[in-house]
Amino acid sequence: MRLGALLASAALIGACSQPAEEHNAIELDPESIVSGSRFLTAETQALQADDFANPGFLWVDRGEALFSEPTENGSACVACHEKGLPGVAATYPAFDTETNSVLNLEGRINQCRVKNQNAPELAYESDPLLSLTAYVAYQSRGALVSVDSSGPSRETYETGRQYFQTRRGQFNLSCQQCHTENWGKRLRGDTLSQGHGNGFPAYRLEWQSMGSLHRRLRDCDTGVRAEPLPYGDPLYIAVELYLAARSNELPLESPAIRR
Ligand code: HEC
Ligand code: HEC
């Protein structure tokens, strides 16, 4: 069945069934895990691979500059992180014992700003936070996702898994139906990927900008006509953890290019 037909029938079913019902849980076959870049055109893949042409590097470069800039009342990131933060992004989201919660990379960077730089948090999706996140993520490019979803992170992981597997919106579709059950099929000019976060922050041609994973999740929720969650919402952080654990062993690609 073409996915357009799936969407059309899902909309019909959605009209007469309960919203937000949980769907049969299906996990990706670990043997089949592939990055979203696999489903891009050769031209877009080439743009991602070319560090001079890849527009994501505008953010990486701005992030690098910010990394060595002191704040008004504190030292620069580089003063404490002299060797940068290689490999760190591959381990996020991660449990933080100080706040007793799972933090994603954006949250961890903001925590360091407040605690170690005497500076206010940067707004989610603001250019400086995107740039710093892109720069830190870039230092893990090629590193394999290795996120811990056990122990104190387990509850958050389960919350994220449930969000992923629950139908929502007017189309009454779950993330799982598109990204676990139908990846590889065409949908409105895209080929559905498995929905991994390993390219983020990513430059989307449609946005003409770098954007966080949460921006992508908001687009997916909006796509099924569900109300998107606010940036940085704990529920999106839980989804982010589930996605990362689901993509363990996949190489990080940020700054990736996406359609
Ligand atoms: C109606 C189908 C559909 C649903 C439902 C859906 N998405 Fe997507 N999603 C897409 C399409 C289309 C894209 C862009 C092409 C691609 O990468 O799959 C995308 C992209 C993504 C990406 C980026 C992948 C990459 O490599 O760039 C992630 C992550 C993602 N979706 C996660 C989710 C999550 C989490 C949910 C549930 C909250 C969800 N999606 C629901 C269709 C869907
Ligand atoms: C005054 C020193 C100091 C400054 C300035 C500082 N950090 Fe940190 N950072 C630390 C210390 C110490 C830790 C680990 C302990 C902790 O949680 O504070 C850390 C931890 C981190 C981590 C988590 C590392 C991991 O392995 O999980 C990230 C990411 C990070 N910092 C990013 C930044 C960024 C980005 C900036 C600038 C915006 C910055 N830090 C500024 C001292 C600093």
Side-chain angles (χ1 to χ4, degrees), residues 4-258:
L6 170 75
L7 280 181
S9 63
L12 289 177
I13 298 161
C16 54
S17 72
Q18 298 293 321
E21 85 199 54
E22 213 178 321
H23 191 67
N24 288 340
I26 300 173
E27 298 295 340
L28 264 185
D29 171 6
E31 298 288 308
S32 74
I33 290 183
V34 284
S35 171
S37 54
R38 170 82 70 89
F39 305 99
L40 302 171
T41 61
E43 204 182 8
T44 310
Q45 286 172 348
L47 185 59
Q48 174 171 315
D50 181 344
D51 290 1
F52 293 98
N54 181 334
F57 276 93
L58 296 171
W59 280 263
V60 172
D61 291 347
R62 283 204 288 274
E64 184 174 13
L66 286 172
F67 202 79
S68 38
E69 230 173 67
T71 58
E72 211 170 309
N73 300 305
S75 24
C77 317
V78 73
C80 300
H81 301 292
E82 284 168 48
K83 297 193 173 118
L85 294 153
V88 166
T91 64
Y92 276 77
F95 192 80
D96 169 55
T97 48
E98 208 158 299
T99 55
N100 219 14
S101 66
V102 171
L103 297 181
N104 64 2
L105 195 54
E106 285 88 343
R108 190 66 182 85
I109 290 170
N110 260 335
Q111 188 188 50
C112 230
R113 261 180 69 85
V114 173
K115 191 174 118 189
N116 296 316
Q117 289 192 306
N118 303 308
E121 282 196 3
L122 296 167
Y124 218 100
E125 220 59 18
S126 65
D127 203 74
L129 186 56
L130 272 176
S131 301
L132 278 169
T133 309
Y135 176 59
V136 174
Y138 165 65
Q139 293 174 49
S140 291
R141 189 167 64 162
L144 307 185
V145 178
S146 93
V147 154
D148 184 5
S149 59
S150 66
S153 294
R154 200 64 197 176
E155 203 181 314
T156 306
Y157 169 89
E158 285 301 333
T159 304
R161 186 183 63 77
Q162 229 171 55
Y163 192 90
F164 194 85
Q165 293 171 343
T166 302
R167 293 162 172 263
R168 66 177 48 78
Q170 272 174 39
F171 285 133
N172 199 34
L173 284 170
S174 65
C175 319
Q176 169 181 286
Q177 282 174 288
C178 281
H179 292 299
T180 302
E181 296 173 33
N182 283 294
W183 64 269
K185 293 190 187 157
R186 303 280 300 167
L187 175 65
R188 293 195 203 108
D190 276 311
T191 301
L192 276 172
S193 74
Q194 296 173 341
H196 298 304
N198 62 318
F200 288 80
Y203 185 93
R204 258 193 94 192
L205 300 168
E206 186 182 309
W207 296 332
Q208 292 286 298
S209 169
M210 201 78 163
S212 68
L213 179 65
H214 290 197
R215 185 169 179 188
R216 176 68 250 190
L217 301 186
R218 285 170 58 86
D219 282 4
C220 281
D221 272 340
T222 306
V224 296
R225 310 267 191 282
E227 189 62 40
L229 300 174
Y231 285 108
D233 192 279
L235 204 43
Y236 271 169
I237 291 172
V239 175
E240 189 172 350
L241 176 66
Y242 172 72
L243 290 181
R246 182 174 170 269
S247 73
N248 266 336
E249 304 284 309
L250 210 55
L252 261 67
E253 290 179 10
S254 186
I257 307 286
R258 294 292 186 263

